[in-house]
Amino acid sequence: MNEKALFGAGCFWSVEESFRLMKGVLSTRAGYAGGHLQNPSYEDVCSGNSGHTEVVEVTFDSKEIHFKDLIDKFFSIHDSTGNHGKSQYQSVIIYFSPEQETAALAKLSDLKSSARPPSTILIPFTFFQPAEERHQKYALKRKQLGHGSVTQL
């Protein structure tokens, strides 16, 4: 069964690539969520005035991969202890179902006792705006052009 999830974990370029490569993930899209501006552009989000966060929409086959596995990947690929001063890079899990919310709450509860507990926000899905085409599969496009990984940018 196909499900969706949204994760904000810093710049969406490398986040999208991390999820795209997981077995059971059917597709990924970079985009924006959580703000107040309709149809935000990358420039709007970067300005900090839109309230939006860079997120990655993950469509996955829940018979092949569990939402819990996506959450584990999410916490392994970014520093979830702060937003680095920008709402655009806020650590956020946006859930689509009560089951996703329960799984995310359980993981957050486990991590709260760590030396550096996460500042990850957990919110229900309300809005997703796909990012401009130039941001889609950005890391993959760079590799195909022979520019290496996005960490070189």
Side-chain angles (χ1 to χ4, degrees):
M1 183 169 126
N2 294 354
E3 290 188 42
K4 290 186 187 271
L6 284 172
F7 298 99
C11 177
F12 48 36
W13 294 337
S14 60
V15 175
E16 180 184 40
E17 182 75 352
S18 294
F19 283 113
R20 185 184 69 77
L21 296 173
M22 294 180 74
K23 183 175 172 30
V25 169
L26 304 172
S27 67
T28 57
R29 286 195 303 175
Y32 316 111
H36 53 80
L37 189 64
Q38 289 190 2
N39 301 315
S41 68
Y42 182 70
E43 291 72 21
D44 292 329
V45 175
C46 288
S47 76
N49 297 325
S50 72
H52 288 288
T53 299
E54 290 186 19
V55 296
V56 172
E57 177 189 66
V58 178
T59 303
F60 63 101
D61 181 343
S62 61
K63 291 181 180 180
E64 276 194 61
I65 188 169
H66 297 280
F67 183 68
K68 181 189 171 308
D69 298 321
L70 298 175
I71 293 173
D72 290 343
K73 173 60 87 175
F74 166 77
F75 281 107
S76 76
I77 61 173
H78 80 295
D79 176 5
S80 64
T81 63
N83 70 3
H84 312 288
K86 294 185 173 190
S87 63
Q88 143 190 25
Y89 295 138
Q90 176 63 52
S91 177
V92 61
I93 299 171
I94 300 173
Y95 60 88
F96 285 75
S97 69
E99 294 79 17
Q100 287 184 357
E101 179 185 25
T102 299
L105 283 170
K107 181 68 172 187
L108 285 169
S109 179
D110 289 346
L111 293 172
K112 283 199 188 279
S113 61
S114 66
R116 296 182 66 214
S119 63
T120 302
I121 296 170
L122 180 63
I123 57 175
F125 174 78
T126 57
F127 171 84
F128 173 76
Q129 169 72 39
E132 298 82 352
E133 181 55 36
R134 70 183 188 267
H135 298 296
Q136 303 302 329
K137 313 266 183 302
Y138 188 86
L140 178 62
K141 290 173 188 173
R142 298 241 343 137
K143 286 178 188 173
Q144 290 172 343
L145 292 172
H147 296 294
S149 70
V150 284
T151 57
Q152 295 174 332
L153 299 178

